[in-house]
Structures are given as structure tokens and as C-alpha cells.
Amino acid sequence: MKLLFTLGIILFIQFSVSGQSSIPQKSAAKSASQQSVSHDSNRFNLLLDSADQFQRQNKLQKASHLLRETENGLSSATISQKIQLYTRLLNISATLKQYQVADKYADKLQSIPTGINNEATEQYAIYQALIPYFLATKKADKAVGYITLHNGLSKAQNNTAGLAQNNLWLFKLDSLRGNHLAALAHYRAYAALKDSVFEQIKKGQIAQLDSQYHTKNKDKQLKDQEINITLLKKQEVLQRQHLNQVRLIQNITIACAAVLFMLSSVIYSRYRLKQSANQKLEAQQLEINQKNETLEHLAEQKDVLIEEKEWLIKEIHHRVKNNLQIVISLLNTQSVYLNDEKAHAAIRESQHRMQSIAFIHQKLYQSESRALIEAHIYIAELIEYLSNSFDTGKRICFEKDLVDLELDVSRAVPIGLILNEAITNSIKYAFPNDADGCISVSLCCVQENSFRLCVSDNGIGLPEGFEIAKCRSLGMNLMRGLSKQIGSSLKLENNNGLSISIDFKDEKLLKPNPN
């Protein structure tokens, strides 16, 4: 019945358009031409709704036939209409295992340019149609490119759910390729982001319930006030009626009785006023007591919610640290079975990078604020860890000049990774043939709200003719990318050794410790 109703609307729209085009006046013909685009859009949406209804009823053949007829009947279609049409046809063809047809619509979707001219929702629609299809048909190379685009879009939109979906696709892709360690890491990232999305939903629900609770209380107070006002008005009317009766009696009775009655009325009126005042005071006291009880209950609920929030944040940092330790242990176990020195070195560097992040979450777990860590303590522990890891002994000394700062997690992670790469580079390459040397690490305040992190050594420095811009090593790319992430640029100087420094200037994210 719904389908017949929809088709009837379509025929009505077509009849209306044809009827308007037959009017001989030039003004009516011009109006009809201006409205044709709107009618085509309405007709297109109605046909898509009908196809979606067929698909929900598992009538995929009918849905596919209707969509193809819609495609053939469109004289000119917008990019948005093409995306809606091709994504539906791709999904239905893949479900029906008509892979040749599905490939055709996959190619059409790939031919649609994506970029700043497209809405984010349209780009999401393309990626979420193509990626599952390529994964299902085991076209890993094509899936990788679109997964990367989807990941970049999700980061730009700060879309946590999109990032979680992206890690799930990467898990399936790595599983398809047989890269089980990477698949495990992506699945853990997917689970963590999914928990984060759930936490955001939970916080929204709590805020909504709190708002509903306050609204209900306000409505109750307004109703109580209206009731009190109504009662006072009734009392006023009764008092006026009573005074009129007293005056009537005064006019009838004799002067003496009138005087006595007036005195009695005055005494009674005084009593009533006093009684009314006492009732008002009791009502006000009762209202005050109720408000106090409500405030105490809200304060208790607030304390419980704050305590639960702190516990959850602490648990998150603890679990992240434990998960990183598990990954480090897995890499360490994997290195036992490797004979290639380059593979050993790569795994070892990855362990150092993960350990630098694990130290941050450990500090956040131990911190009272759960949001800031003390930079000088963290850097000192990272230096000690790297020194012990490379077994430098007394051959390489470390000099530290660290200002007392507090870093939030968005700054601590990039700075920790940059420090790890710079110190590791100095230990490995600055002092060849087990030569003695010294590595200096400084974090100082250059000027107001401006800080500088510097790692320097007195080693052999960079070789002659070395061009930093052409260096494409993983460590150098990491330091460049992380420096841009925190709004800085990487500076390298070759003067009696190598000096690597970055400057910060952002008072909202990097704060000096008031102590």
C-alpha cells in the first residue's frame, strides 16, 4: 500500500508538471521551467524511499530494478544524487553477489572527485560503501587508500566513532593480509575508541537526566507558588465577605453593641492576621527545609559522580599503560625469533616509543589531577630508561636542565616521542667506536608563554653534505610530524656535535607549575 501511495504521488507530480507546461502564457512556461529541478529532486527522493523500503523487506531484485530505472531516467543528476544512487546499487549488487555489476558502480563512485567541494557526509558515504566492498572482495590495495582517506576525514571532523570504525577496518585488512600483530593492535584501538564513544554517550545521558531533574523541580516549585497565590486570594475574598457582614451588623445593632462588636472584630482580626502570619512562616520554613534537603542530595550526587569520573579516568590510564606493556612484551617475544639485525633494531625502537607513551599514562595514573604530568620528572625517567636500555654505563653522561613545568597529555605524548627519537639518535650515532661523550637535555622558558626543548651532544655531528630536507628516515619524519602537531618546527644545528630543538608558544596547553 505504501508503494502504491508513493507511485501515485510520483504520477501526480508528473501530471502537474505536464499540465503546467501546456499553459500558453510565457510567464507560466518560465515558472514551470524554474520548478522542474525541484520536482525532479522530489521524484528522486520518493524513488529512493521506495527502493529503501524494498531493501528492508529483503526484496533486493525489485530494489535494484527500481534504482537502475531511476538512474536511466535522470537527465541530469547532482553529485549528491549520484552518490546516493551508486552507493545503494553497490551494496545491493554485492549482497546479490553480482560482482561485475558491483565493480561498475564501485568504479563510478571512485570517479567522483572528493575534496573541499564535497560535504563530509558525502565523503563518508563513498568511503563506507567502497571500503567494506573491497574488504569483502579481498582487494586490499584499494581498501588501504580509502581507509587512509576515511581516517584523515574522521580526524579532521574529530569523529571518534569514525576513528573506531577505521580501526575495525584496519583489523579486518591486517587479518586478510595475515599481519596478526598489527590486527591485534588495531582491534585494541577499536575497542578503546568504542569505549570512549560509549563514555561520551553515557555522559550525555547523565547530563540529560540532570537537566530533566532540575526542570521537574522548577515546575513543581512554580505549581506550589501558584497554589499558594490561589489560597491567599481565596483568603482575601473570605476576609472581605466577613468584613462586609460585620459592617452590616454594625449598622443594625445599637451603638453600644456596635462598639463592642467592633472591638471584638478588631481582636479577632488581629488574631487572624497573627495566625496567617504564623502559617506563612511555617510554609516558608517548610519550603526552606525542602530546598536544603534537595541541595544536600544534589551535592551528594555530585560528589559520587566526581568520584566515579576520577576512578574511570584513572582506570583508563592504567589500562592504556598495561596494554602498551603487553604490546612491548609481544614485540620483545617476537624479537627472540628474528635473525635479522635490522628487524631487531626496528622492534627495539618501537619498544622505546611505546615505553615513552606508557610512562606518560603511568604518570597520569599516579597524578592527583589525572590531566597533567610534571615534565622534569617524566623527562628524567625517560632518560634513565634509555640509558639503561642501551647500556651506556659511564661512557655517556647526561646533563639535565629542566624547568618545573606541567604538561597535559596532548603535549606530553609528542614531546616524549621527540625526546625518545633525539636521545636514541645521539646514543646510537654521535659516539662511534664506544667513544665517551655527553648528552644535554634542557627545557627552559625563553620568554613569557614561550618554551624551548633542546637535545644536544658533543659527538661527531652530521656528516658533511648532509641535507636535512632530503632525509626520509622514520625517526626524522616522526620528529617533523610531531613538531607540526604541537605548532612548532624542528631545528637542527651542527656545532661541535648535533643540537635538536623545538620552541613552543601556547599558554593554553603548556602551563608552568605554580609551585
Side-chain angles (χ1 to χ4, degrees):
M1 293 298 292
K2 292 181 178 179
L3 178 61
L4 291 174
F5 177 72
T6 304
L7 292 175
I9 293 175
I10 294 170
L11 291 173
F12 175 75
I13 293 172
Q14 291 178 338
F15 178 76
S16 299
V17 173
S18 64
Q20 290 180 2
S21 63
S22 63
I23 299 174
Q25 286 81 1
K26 292 183 180 180
S27 60
K30 183 178 180 180
S31 175
S33 64
Q34 291 175 348
Q35 293 177 358
S36 62
V37 175
S38 175
H39 288 309
D40 286 343
S41 177
N42 292 334
R43 180 176 177 273
F44 177 79
N45 292 331
L46 288 172
L47 290 171
L48 285 187
D49 291 339
S50 300
D52 290 340
Q53 186 174 355
F54 280 137
Q55 194 171 358
R56 286 192 293 270
Q57 295 172 356
N58 203 24
K59 298 177 180 179
L60 301 181
Q61 293 288 355
K62 290 185 177 181
S64 176
H65 180 71
L66 182 58
L67 290 171
R68 290 180 187 178
E69 286 186 349
T70 304
E71 180 186 12
N72 296 330
L74 281 176
S75 58
S76 61
T78 64
I79 292 178
S80 176
Q81 290 175 339
K82 289 180 180 179
I83 291 172
Q84 294 179 66
L85 191 61
Y86 296 158
T87 52
R88 285 173 169 81
L89 284 167
L90 174 59
N91 292 331
I92 293 173
S93 300
T95 304
L96 293 172
K97 297 183 178 181
Q98 298 174 353
Y99 294 116
Q100 291 183 350
V101 178
D103 286 338
K104 181 182 77 172
Y105 291 108
D107 293 338
K108 287 186 178 182
L109 283 174
Q110 291 179 84
S111 66
I112 295 176
T114 59
I116 58 174
N117 294 326
N118 298 103
E119 296 289 339
T121 53
E122 295 176 355
Q123 296 182 45
Y124 275 124
I126 294 174
Y127 301 153
Q128 291 172 359
L130 289 174
I131 293 171
Y133 173 69
F134 288 145
L135 290 174
T137 55
K138 299 182 179 180
K139 296 179 180 178
D141 293 336
K142 290 187 176 181
V144 167
Y146 285 99
I147 289 174
T148 303
L149 292 172
H150 183 272
N151 187 58
L153 181 61
S154 298
K155 286 182 178 179
Q157 297 290 325
N158 197 17
N159 186 354
T160 306
L163 292 173
Q165 180 64 47
N166 212 69
N167 278 281
L168 181 60
W169 285 334
L170 287 171
F171 161 71
K172 294 179 179 179
L173 178 64
D174 290 331
S175 299
L176 183 63
R177 289 177 167 178
N179 191 355
H180 301 297
L181 286 178
L184 177 61
H186 287 304
Y187 188 80
R188 290 184 182 277
Y190 161 70
L193 289 171
K194 186 178 180 182
D195 291 341
S196 176
V197 173
F198 175 76
E199 183 65 21
Q200 291 175 2
I201 294 172
K202 184 178 179 182
K203 288 180 181 179
Q205 291 174 345
I206 291 172
Q208 184 180 4
L209 290 173
D210 186 65
S211 175
Q212 291 176 353
Y213 177 79
H214 285 296
T215 303
K216 188 176 181 181
N217 271 354
K218 289 181 180 179
D219 292 338
K220 184 179 179 182
Q221 291 175 2
L222 290 173
K223 288 181 180 179
D224 291 340
Q225 290 178 357
E226 289 177 359
I227 292 172
N228 290 334
I229 291 171
T230 303
L231 290 175
L232 290 174
K233 287 182 178 179
K234 288 182 178 180
Q235 288 179 357
E236 184 180 3
V237 171
L238 291 173
Q239 288 178 355
R240 287 179 180 176
Q241 290 178 352
H242 181 69
L243 289 175
N244 290 332
Q245 291 177 357
V246 170
R247 289 172 183 173
L248 180 61
I249 294 172
Q250 286 177 352
N251 293 329
I252 297 174
T253 57
I254 58 176
C256 183
V259 171
L260 292 175
F261 188 79
M262 287 176 63
L263 291 173
S264 301
S265 298
V266 170
I267 294 171
Y268 181 75
S269 177
R270 295 279 183 173
Y271 171 76
R272 291 289 295 172
L273 288 173
K274 185 177 180 180
Q275 189 179 24
S276 177
N278 290 335
Q279 289 177 353
K280 289 180 181 179
L281 289 174
E282 290 176 359
Q284 290 176 355
Q285 185 63 40
L286 179 62
E287 184 178 356
I288 290 170
N289 292 337
Q290 290 176 349
K291 288 182 178 179
N292 288 336
E293 291 176 359
T294 303
L295 290 173
E296 290 175 358
H297 181 65
L298 290 174
E300 291 174 359
Q301 286 185 337
K302 180 182 177 183
D303 293 338
V304 170
L305 290 174
I306 291 173
E307 184 178 353
E308 288 180 354
K309 179 183 177 182
E310 290 181 352
W311 182 87
L312 287 172
I313 293 173
K314 182 177 179 181
E315 183 67 16
I316 287 170
H317 289 306
H318 186 59
R319 289 190 180 185
V320 170
K321 187 206 63 157
N322 288 344
N323 289 339
L324 288 172
Q325 292 294 342
I326 290 171
V327 175
I328 292 171
S329 298
L330 288 172
L331 289 174
N332 190 38
T333 303
Q334 181 66 41
S335 66
V336 175
Y337 299 95
L338 295 175
N339 297 323
D340 189 354
E341 289 299 327
K342 291 184 178 180
H344 272 287
I347 288 179
R348 190 178 185 185
E349 290 176 0
S350 297
Q351 288 176 320
H352 292 167
R353 293 175 184 126
M354 292 182 187
Q355 188 64 48
S356 67
I357 300 173
F359 278 148
I360 293 171
H361 287 282
Q362 182 179 357
K363 290 299 176 187
L364 290 171
Y365 171 72
Q366 296 171 351
S367 172
E368 292 294 332
S369 67
R370 313 294 180 210
L372 301 173
I373 66 171
E374 295 181 358
H376 61 287
I377 297 176
Y378 165 67
I379 294 173
E381 289 186 3
L382 181 58
I383 292 172
E384 183 179 358
Y385 164 75
L386 291 173
S387 177
N388 294 334
S389 178
F390 284 98
D391 193 19
T392 59
K394 295 182 179 180
R395 182 173 64 85
I396 299 176
C397 67
F398 290 89
E399 295 180 354
K400 299 182 286 291
D401 182 14
L402 306 172
V403 69
D404 189 9
L405 296 177
E406 288 185 342
L407 298 174
D408 60 6
V409 67
S410 64
R411 283 295 185 262
V413 171
I415 288 174
L417 290 172
I418 291 171
L419 275 172
N420 175 77
E421 296 299 326
I423 296 171
T424 300
N425 181 72
S426 294
I427 293 173
K428 290 171 64 177
Y429 305 113
F431 312 106
N433 301 323
D434 294 333
D436 295 339
C438 184
I439 299 174
S440 299
V441 180
S442 66
L443 180 63
C444 59
C445 181
V446 181
Q447 56 185 7
E448 186 178 3
N449 299 325
S450 181
F451 303 90
R452 176 173 295 162
L453 173 67
C454 182
V455 179
S456 58
D457 59 65
N458 59 354
I460 61 174
L462 295 173
E464 293 184 3
F466 181 81
E467 296 185 16
I468 299 173
K470 294 183 178 180
C471 181
R472 292 294 181 267
S473 66
L474 176 60
M476 188 63 66
N477 286 335
L478 270 176
M479 288 192 289
R480 285 199 196 100
L482 293 169
S483 298
K484 290 180 180 179
Q485 182 177 335
I486 59 177
S488 179
S489 60
L490 190 68
K491 297 179 181 178
L492 280 78
E493 295 181 2
N494 198 15
N495 185 14
N496 294 327
L498 179 63
S499 175
I500 300 175
S501 64
I502 56 174
D503 291 339
F504 304 90
K505 193 171 183 180
D506 198 332
E507 59 184 0
K508 293 183 289 184
L509 298 177
L510 189 59
K511 303 177 182 176
N513 193 329
N515 295 327

